[in-house]
């Protein structure tokens, strides 16, 4: 292709792309108008600031588990703890011996076993991303009543 033919080709490609974008935006708008939230069409006019609390919650001795195999819920804030390939902020407090200094429970031994069953001296790759399984929990009252029973209660 000559230089100008190339330029023309890219101009055609660009205008096609722009056309698609405009069409896409129109489509999204049409769909947006038919959507209705749980609030029944009410639009939120005010957003409350998140409560400024040091701890996520105050549940003495942790939260109960709903079934035996449940990953325990996290009773503290996690916003500041990043997990990157080279640093796992959670393990600063939850790996031995660091955990003894901050009085945090050590991750259980299952977290040091890889998927072949080999015991490791560092956290297993399968357990590296803590929040895949553990979620922060606040001691909040349910917004809507429910009849949930944990595994022990339904027996
Ligand atoms: C600064 C230290 C610190 C860091 C960092 C930290 N934790 Fe904790 N964690 C604690 C302490 C202390 C407790 C014990 C409960 C309490 O006092 O809040 C705890 C409790 C927990 C529990 C409850 C364990 C149980 O048996 O009930 C889980 C799960 C947990 N943390 C997960 C995490 C995860 C995931 C991260 C990273 C996103 C993390 N923690 C980062 C200190 C820490
Ligand atoms: C694949 C899911 C999974 C991942 C990922 C995972 N955990 Fe767990 N964790 C569990 C389960 C399930 C339990 C409870 C059973 C057990 O002890 O193995 C548990 C238990 C714990 C406990 C309580 C230990 C005790 O003896 O009471 C702590 C603390 C904890 N995990 C922290 C972490 C941290 C920190 C990470 C990230 C480095 C992490 N977990 C990653 C599933 C997971």
């Amino acid at each position: 292709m000559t230089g100008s033919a190339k330029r023309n080709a890219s101009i055609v490609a660009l205008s096609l792309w722009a056309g698609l974008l405009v069409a896409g935006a129109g489509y999204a708008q049409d769909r947006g108008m038919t959507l209705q939230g749980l609030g029944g069409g009410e639009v939120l006019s005010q957003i409350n600031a998140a409560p400024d609390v040091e701890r996520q919650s105050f549940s003495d001795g942790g939260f109960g588990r709903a079934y035996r195999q449940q990953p325990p819920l996290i009773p503290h804030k996690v916003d500041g703890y990043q997990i990157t390939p080279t640093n796992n902020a959670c393990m600063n407090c939850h790996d031995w011996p660091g955990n003894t200094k901050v009085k945090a429970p050590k991750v259980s031994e299952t977290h040091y076993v890889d998927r072949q069953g080999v015991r490791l001296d560092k956290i297993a790759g399968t357990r590296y991303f803590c929040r895949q399984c553990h979620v922060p929990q606040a001691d909040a009252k349910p917004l809507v009543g429910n009849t949930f029973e944990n595994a022990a209660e339904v027996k």
Side-chain angles (χ1 to χ4, degrees):
M1 248 192 257
T2 68
S4 76
K6 256 191 200 159
R7 232 185 350 263
N8 285 343
S10 14
I11 289 170
V12 170
L14 258 183
S15 8
L16 270 176
W17 181 227
L20 274 177
L21 275 183
V22 170
Y27 180 63
Q29 241 171 27
D30 288 349
R31 282 171 51 106
M33 285 171 68
T34 62
L35 287 178
Q36 211 183 35
L38 288 176
E42 289 277 317
V43 178
L44 284 184
S45 55
Q46 189 193 339
I47 299 172
N48 292 340
D52 184 23
V53 284
E54 182 62 25
R55 286 166 56 102
Q56 179 85 12
S57 178
F58 298 89
S59 174
D60 268 347
F63 294 95
R65 298 188 199 187
Y67 54 97
R68 182 163 44 83
Q69 304 87 340
Q70 184 192 316
L73 297 163
I74 308 175
H76 55 71
K77 287 182 148 194
V78 291
D79 316 15
Y81 306 142
Q82 274 213 332
I83 300 179
T84 69
T86 50
N87 180 49
N88 184 324
C90 311
M91 289 302 272
N92 294 342
C93 291
H94 286 287
D95 198 7
W96 184 87
N99 75 303
T100 55
K101 294 190 201 106
V102 292
K103 297 198 167 58
K106 179 180 73 63
V107 297
S108 70
E109 285 302 309
T110 56
H111 292 39
Y112 299 97
V113 180
D114 74 9
R115 71 175 81 170
Q116 278 79 34
V118 179
R119 298 186 76 95
L120 311 166
D121 196 34
K122 57 181 176 56
I123 191 85
T126 49
R127 304 285 183 147
Y128 193 77
F129 296 101
C130 320
R131 292 180 64 191
Q132 255 178 288
C133 303
H134 297 278
V135 289
Q137 175 67 47
D139 215 358
K141 300 283 158 282
L143 289 176
V144 181
N146 65 77
T147 56
F148 175 79
E149 290 178 84
N150 70 30
E153 288 160 348
V154 292
K155 270 189 185 158

